[in-house]
Amino acid sequence: MTISFNDRVAIVTGAGGGLGRAYALELARRGARVVVNDLGATLDGTGHSDAALAVVEEIRAAGGEAMANGGSVTDAAQMAEMAAKAKEAWGGVHILINNAGILRDKSFAKMEPGDFESVVRVHLFGAAFATKAVWETMREQGYGRVLMTTSSTGLGGNFGQANYGAAKLGMVGLAKTLYLEGAKYNIRVNSLAPTAGTRMTEDIFPEEAFKAFNPESVVPAALYLVSDDAPTNAIVGAGAGVYQSAWLTMNQGTLLPEDQRTVEGFAAAWDRISDRTGDAVVQNGIEQSMHAMQMLQKAAAK
Ligand SMILES: NC(=O)c1ccc[n+]([C@@H]2O[C@H](COP(=O)([O-])OP(=O)(O)OC[C@H]3O[C@@H](n4cnc5c(N)ncnc54)[C@H](O)[C@@H]3O)[C@@H](O)[C@H]2O)c1
């Protein structure tokens, strides 16, 4: 079975290098027409270059179709203009990979408010603005595939990355409501936590690991998650050929009798409250209150 992207129009943000470039090249190789977005920033988000244009030239040289876009994901108007150009040229937008990113790593004690704000702006606001720019088109088409780039830092934390982790788990939160709102329009929304040797990680990975964690080994996960048969609401990890799934779960919890609903009562019940027996994946935010209602009803029926 070959997974094709013929007749699909894809936008990949931050595709002037690293992972985004690898996604754009493979999407184009498999038949998609690709908007290569990148403002060509340095790692901390400053500066400009023609990085997007270089990737478009690579795609064209290999016989594919692509257009460059130098807009910033932090500018909603530029994202709207990018989506409009793609639609005008190619008739629609079917796939969006929110991949653009920057880093301003510092311990929280040393992190300036500006460092926090710029990182959240690029990752979280950027993903929201780019998705907003294509959302109506996807709804009208009755087809859309959106991928959020999250991170192990968002899912588990990492020293020195409070800004980045907050933004990255925020993107999963965004995906979790968009998958619900998009479902009836055949819009599927997933999240991918990649690990790859790129300029973002070159100071962290030793040379051997840098090679093993090549961006190409993340590509299969990213492309499957934006393909026709993609799941929705998945959180996937990919790096060095290892592919994983992550979930947000909640346990069954316990119903405290009214006279125990005190700080001391809560403290005394902590072992039961934090017991993971019967953990279940949360599919919809409403489940928490429904579960509480069911427990109340069960208790009342006794
Ligand atoms: N490399 C990893 O191990 C790793 C791990 C977890 C998550 N990620 C995420 O994967 C994504 C890609 O990272 P990468 O490792 O390829 O790094 P990268 O620095 O090569 O790619 C990020 C790209 O985003 C572009 N960009 C930055 N700000 C932008 C803006 N405002 N508008 C448009 N483009 C902008 C940059 O110019 C750059 O080309 C990022 O979201 C990153 O946080 C990477």
Side-chain angles (χ1 to χ4, degrees):
M1 182 190 63
T2 306
I3 295 184
S4 158
F5 290 90
N6 278 341
D7 301 324
R8 296 293 181 216
V9 175
I11 297 177
V12 184
T13 69
L19 287 160
R21 170 179 164 273
Y23 304 153
L25 292 176
E26 188 61 17
L27 280 165
R29 209 182 64 76
R30 288 172 180 263
R33 285 166 288 190
V34 184
V35 179
V36 177
N37 159 269
D38 206 305
L39 56 58
T42 53
L43 195 53
D44 70 357
T46 52
H48 288 274
S49 75
D50 286 336
L53 210 54
V55 174
V56 166
E57 277 161 12
E58 251 185 290
I59 291 174
R60 288 187 183 147
E65 248 185 287
M67 71 165 84
N69 176 275
S72 173
V73 293
T74 59
D75 186 322
Q78 288 180 11
M79 290 299 95
E81 197 185 316
M82 171 181 72
K85 278 192 183 150
K87 203 173 160 185
E88 195 186 301
W90 295 324
V93 180
H94 308 98
I95 293 164
L96 169 66
I97 302 186
N98 285 305
N99 167 80
I102 63 166
L103 289 181
R104 301 264 178 108
D105 291 0
K106 276 176 197 140
S107 66
F108 194 58
K110 292 190 184 138
M111 193 176 284
E112 295 297 329
D115 296 324
F116 201 93
E117 196 172 330
S118 343
V119 167
V120 175
R121 271 198 181 284
V122 172
H123 293 272
L124 181 56
F125 284 41
F129 293 166
T131 309
K132 179 71 184 163
V134 300
W135 196 249
E136 202 44 48
T137 300
M138 287 182 172
R139 278 165 40 113
E140 281 166 15
Q141 287 165 178
Y143 189 96
R145 300 288 181 265
V146 178
L147 184 61
M148 304 292 176
T149 308
T150 183
S151 160
S152 55
T153 297
L155 302 174
N158 192 23
F159 200 98
Q161 293 196 309
N163 47 3
Y164 183 74
K168 286 306 203 189
L169 196 57
M171 291 173 78
V172 176
L174 178 61
K176 286 193 165 289
T177 284
L178 294 186
Y179 109 85
L180 291 170
E181 293 189 8
K184 94 172 186 213
Y185 305 98
N186 187 21
I187 302 174
R188 301 184 193 169
V189 188
N190 295 295
S191 304
L192 174 65
T195 322
T198 67
R199 69 175 188 177
M200 220 178 238
T201 48
E202 62 193 352
D203 296 340
I204 309 168
F205 281 137
E207 202 180 320
E208 272 309 296
F210 192 85
K211 278 190 215 144
F213 284 85
N214 55 38
E216 287 67 35
S217 60
V218 178
V219 170
L223 264 61
Y224 174 66
L225 292 172
V226 296
S227 68
D228 283 358
D229 291 334
T232 191
N233 192 30
I235 307 172
V236 168
V242 175
Y243 305 98
Q244 295 170 277
S245 289
W247 290 273
L248 284 172
T249 66
M250 209 178 254
N251 69 0
Q252 296 300 302
T254 191
L255 174 62
L256 288 183
E258 272 185 55
D259 62 345
Q260 289 174 32
R261 293 177 202 168
T262 58
V263 184
E264 293 73 18
F266 185 95
W270 178 244
D271 283 353
R272 278 181 288 143
I273 294 166
S274 57
D275 179 358
R276 295 198 60 189
T277 312
D279 253 10
V281 175
V282 182
Q283 295 288 357
N284 187 327
I286 202 86
E287 286 173 4
Q288 184 184 346
S289 21
M290 287 180 49
H291 177 68
M293 289 304 292
Q294 281 164 3
M295 285 184 83
L296 283 175
Q297 281 161 3
K298 260 194 219 159
K302 271 189 191 157

